[in-house]
Amino acid sequence: MDSQESAEKAAPVQPKPLNKIQRRILGVLIEKARTTPDAYPLSLAGLVAGANQKSNRSPLMNLSPEQIEDELIEMRTLGLAAEIQGSGRVSRYRHFGYDYMGVKGSEAAVMTELLLRGEQTAGDLRVRASRFDQIPDLPALNEILRSLMAKGLVISLTPPGRGQVFSHNLYQPEELTKLKNKFVGATGDSDENADENESTSTARSSRSGGEVAALQAEVEELRGLLAALEERVTRLES
């Protein structure tokens, strides 16, 4: 556990809603801090690449550096992010998302996946969040979700049962209303559909494994590009 996580407070204040670009930036910063610590804090180029990544993202975005820089200004005001000076005078950015949300460990893993992908079933969420912090089974995930719901960070969009869908609660009010309307009338699956749903869950897990592998390959490629760019900038400044 890093020093940032160990400093979390037990009773956080309910964080303010974020717009969709801010949520994407926060999710990317937390993700990269956990998966590629050698490249963290992120440069603006790394942050743009992570925000526009084609794997493990929903919805897909095509954000410009200017759009991300504008939102970083507001996020710094909110205490969500900070700019630091990196090697070769390249500005880099780090997050304070754990403090902002009052989470750590598995709770932080679940929130990160919800920020990056939006609403998800419990089964998909367990598999995806386990790449950050191992969640052994659905009962363990349900305990995490109950804790996050008690903090006002997670909501359930469908009734309890197989296929129950959850989302984070950091949407802007109009976004949240639209999302809830999308699931009006949805019901959980009955036990007679258990076998079918179990097969679906297994297939989803397999796809998730492939997505993680693709993500890791993309990260390595981006790290190489970033290192080359930083070296070029250093040479030019010299």
Side-chain angles (χ1 to χ4, degrees):
M1 181 179 298
D2 59 36
S3 59
Q4 186 178 2
E5 288 184 346
S6 64
E8 299 299 333
K9 297 180 180 180
V13 176
Q14 172 67 29
K16 296 180 180 179
L18 306 173
N19 66 43
K20 63 181 181 180
I21 300 179
Q22 292 170 349
R23 297 194 301 267
R24 176 59 56 86
I25 292 172
L26 179 59
V28 170
L29 286 172
I30 298 177
E31 176 192 52
K32 301 307 182 184
R34 300 290 290 269
T35 59
T36 57
D38 292 343
Y40 180 82
L42 294 181
S43 66
L44 179 60
L47 191 47
V48 171
N52 295 334
Q53 194 171 290
K54 303 303 181 184
S55 58
N56 201 43
R57 302 288 185 268
S58 182
L60 296 181
M61 292 183 174
N62 187 27
L63 302 174
S64 67
E66 292 75 20
Q67 286 177 297
I68 289 184
E69 282 186 306
D70 288 344
E71 296 302 335
L72 282 168
I73 293 173
E74 175 66 17
M75 293 175 73
R76 290 163 62 184
T77 301
L78 292 172
L80 259 176
E83 180 180 351
I84 63 175
Q85 199 67 42
S87 59
R89 300 181 181 178
V90 176
S91 295
R92 291 181 174 271
Y93 300 91
R94 63 167 300 171
H95 74 86
F96 297 111
Y98 298 147
D99 291 322
Y100 188 78
M101 296 183 289
V103 296
K104 58 183 179 180
S106 296
E107 289 186 346
V110 169
M111 287 301 298
T112 301
E113 278 302 323
L114 289 174
L115 286 169
L116 291 174
R117 277 187 176 266
E119 66 274 14
Q120 301 175 56
T121 65
D124 285 349
L125 185 55
R126 184 191 71 80
V127 173
R128 290 164 179 160
S130 288
R131 69 192 179 104
F132 300 118
D133 203 272
Q134 188 61 39
I135 302 175
D137 49 36
L138 283 176
L141 174 68
N142 289 333
E143 186 63 32
I144 296 168
L145 289 171
R146 278 193 289 270
S147 176
L148 291 171
M149 292 174 77
K151 294 178 179 180
L153 292 170
V154 165
I155 58 173
S156 175
L157 295 171
T158 61
R162 289 181 177 274
Q164 184 176 7
V165 178
F166 297 89
S167 180
H168 65 77
N169 195 27
L170 296 180
Y171 289 101
Q172 298 284 357
E174 62 276 11
E175 291 180 293
L176 186 58
T177 298
K178 184 176 179 180
L179 179 63
K180 288 181 176 179
N181 289 339
K182 176 181 174 182
F183 289 90
V184 170
T187 59
D189 294 331
S190 63
D191 290 337
E192 65 186 25
N193 294 323
D195 292 339
E196 179 182 351
N197 287 319
E198 189 66 31
S199 298
T200 301
S201 179
T202 301
R204 286 171 173 167
S205 297
S206 178
R207 289 198 303 271
S208 296
E211 290 170 349
V212 169
L215 172 60
Q216 290 173 336
E218 187 171 352
V219 165
E220 289 303 318
E221 180 181 357
L222 290 173
R223 289 177 64 185
L225 291 172
L226 178 59
L229 286 171
E230 290 180 342
E231 182 179 356
R232 183 178 179 183
V233 170
T234 301
R235 289 201 305 268
L236 290 172
E237 289 178 341
S238 300

